[in-house]
Amino acid sequence: AAKAAKNEAYAVVFPEAKDFEENETDTAKIAETADEIAGKGFGHSNIDEVVTAKDESGNNIGRVITSTSKDGYNGTVQISVGIKSDGTVVGITFLTLEERPGLGMRAAEKSFYGQYANKNTKEFKLVKGAASADDEISAISGSTITSTAVTNAVNAALYFNSILE
């Protein structure tokens, strides 16, 4: 039942996957790379979990990586990021988002979190105003702290994914 619940959450960020499996080698890398990720400039972000996304035939098609930023305005922001084998972000979903109503909670609106989807970049840059490049994310007006926390968590997941390649 617990696996089914997690798979349901993973399916939100990687809908084309039919199954998700833990890979012990990838999971072991979380602890091994924690200090490296902490030194990459992603704020207080860390990797919590990683699973392999599989298609109907059991082929690996990417990963779902769960990461947490402790730099949200009201505390932690935890997300899962679906990443295809070629590095393209499929999407993100929030597991924990306890920001201020009307401001930081706007991160949960598709107009914000949808900016990460279907983009292939090593790292996203947060910008004030309109994003003009594929690697840019337009910050939520009045909520730069939350926007930064989310972007740092996504970037930590992307960096961790690149280590596993």
Side-chain angles (χ1 to χ4, degrees), residues 10-11 13-21 26 51-64 81-90 161 165:
Y10 299 150
V13 296
F14 215 130
E16 56 264 41
K18 299 303 173 209
D19 194 21
F20 302 92
E21 280 183 12
D26 289 354
V51 293
T52 302
K54 299 194 170 269
D55 66 13
E56 288 176 0
S57 303
N59 299 312
N60 294 353
I61 56 172
R63 292 184 183 88
V64 176
V81 184
I83 306 171
K84 290 182 181 177
S85 295
D86 71 357
T88 301
V89 174
V90 180
N161 188 64
E165 294 302 317

Side-chain angles (χ1 to χ4, degrees), residues 63-123:
R63 292 184 183 88
V64 176
I65 299 174
T66 300
S67 63
T68 299
S69 170
K70 295 177 183 77
D71 297 324
Y73 188 81
N74 264 358
T76 61
V77 173
Q78 186 181 45
I79 61 169
S80 284
V81 184
I83 306 171
K84 290 182 181 177
S85 295
D86 71 357
T88 301
V89 174
V90 180
I92 73 167
T93 191
F94 292 93
L95 304 177
T96 305
L97 181 66
E98 299 172 355
E99 298 299 276
R100 290 182 43 207
L103 289 173
M105 287 305 289
R106 290 182 34 220
E109 295 174 6
K110 190 169 175 109
S111 59
F112 177 73
Y113 74 78
Q115 295 181 84
Y116 299 93
N118 301 313
K119 294 186 179 174
N120 189 322
T121 183
K122 290 185 186 311
E123 188 173 317

